[in-house]
Amino acid sequence: MIVEDRLPPKSEPDTDFIKPELDFKENFIVCSGCGYGIHEEFILKVGEKSWHSHCLRCSVCDVLLNYENSCFIRDEKILCRQDYTKIFGTRCSKCCHLITQNDWIRRAGEQVFHLACFACDSCTRQLSTGEEF
């Protein structure tokens, strides 16, 4: 997310040569949330789109994102970190719970397991790195 500084000052066009409606359309940025022109001091840019500070919201939980450090775009939807992780985060191949940054994991091919979940289904003995199963 990029916060841009002030909008460039509008130059006063010579109204004899430029139609006022064209000048208006060329000198403002349209908000991707509400569709209205952005005339605020700051513009929030996410991806290639611009937003009013009060229009940038998570498309799942509707939380306001103007004070967040980051947000995510997936399938053209804006998501807060919490909802992005819930929906698209890595899940354990055995218990299907989310795998967090603090979890110890084991990988087996394309599958990812919590350390405690990487065990034999028959005897529940925990498997070690390099062990065949």
Side-chain angles (χ1 to χ4, degrees):
M1 176 168 41
I2 300 170
V3 177
E4 290 189 354
D5 287 331
R6 294 178 180 262
L7 292 172
K10 293 182 183 178
S11 59
E12 294 298 323
D14 186 350
T15 55
D16 292 337
F17 300 106
I18 299 174
K19 294 181 181 178
E21 65 269 18
L22 292 177
D23 178 51
F24 179 71
K25 289 179 183 174
E26 292 174 5
N27 284 319
F28 73 90
I29 296 170
V30 176
C31 174
S32 296
C34 68
Y36 289 104
I38 301 173
H39 304 287
E40 297 175 1
E41 184 176 1
F42 297 102
I43 299 171
L44 299 178
K45 284 198 111 172
V46 178
E48 297 295 317
K49 297 180 178 181
S50 300
W51 304 78
H52 288 111
S53 59
H54 59 275
C55 289
L56 185 61
R57 296 179 172 275
C58 175
S59 59
V60 174
C61 68
D62 204 39
V63 71
L64 198 58
L65 297 171
N66 61 338
Y67 294 113
E68 297 297 318
N69 291 331
S70 63
C71 59
F72 300 84
I73 304 171
R74 184 80 177 249
D75 302 328
E76 300 207 18
K77 292 181 181 174
I78 305 291
L79 301 165
C80 65
R81 178 180 299 278
Q82 186 176 1
D83 286 325
Y84 181 85
T85 303
K86 272 190 226 174
I87 298 168
F88 300 108
T90 303
R91 296 188 177 270
C92 175
S93 296
K94 186 167 186 177
C95 71
C96 297
H97 290 149
L98 283 172
I99 294 179
T100 67
Q101 294 176 348
N102 299 326
D103 290 334
W104 288 85
I105 63 166
R106 295 263 193 237
R107 293 184 186 275
E110 295 293 315
Q111 296 181 323
V112 180
F113 299 86
H114 290 110
L115 188 61
C117 294
F118 194 64
C120 175
D121 285 333
S122 299
C123 68
T124 67
R125 182 178 67 83
Q126 195 168 0
L127 302 170
S128 300
T129 303
E131 197 171 356
E132 290 189 33
F133 61 98

